[in-house]
Amino acid sequence: QLADMYNTGDGVEESPAEEAGLMAGDIITHVDDTEITGSAELVEFIGNCEIGQELTLTVYRKGNTQELKLTVGEQTKKALEQQ
């Protein structure tokens, strides 16, 4: 869960996850047309993207599925320390 990894909603302001609208507890099921089956796969997928690249995340939240747009940003030192 990207939101949990980057503590979205828990004080990491202006992160790409927060700007995309991700919330703690969201489950990312797809990035663009690629199915995501775990957090390691998600981190690897996003890690292979270019900074500034726009991705469409399919997110399961509280019984509903929705699409969010995420612009890939540089991973901050703070986010790295929290992994």
Side-chain angles (χ1 to χ4, degrees), residues 12-19:
V12 179
E13 297 178 12
E14 299 179 18
S15 69
E18 181 181 58
E19 290 176 7

Side-chain angles (χ1 to χ4, degrees), residues 27-72:
I27 300 170
I28 298 170
T29 61
H30 291 80
V31 178
D32 291 335
D33 293 323
T34 302
E35 182 177 12
I36 300 297
T37 58
S39 59
E41 186 176 8
L42 175 63
V43 170
E44 181 180 352
F45 187 99
I46 292 177
N48 289 323
C49 294
E50 297 291 324
I51 293 171
Q53 184 175 344
E54 188 171 282
L55 304 173
T56 300
L57 307 180
T58 303
V59 176
Y60 181 80
R61 178 187 296 163
K62 297 181 181 179
N64 297 306
T65 301
Q66 58 185 300
E67 289 188 348
L68 304 173
K69 297 291 185 187
L70 173 89
T71 302
V72 177

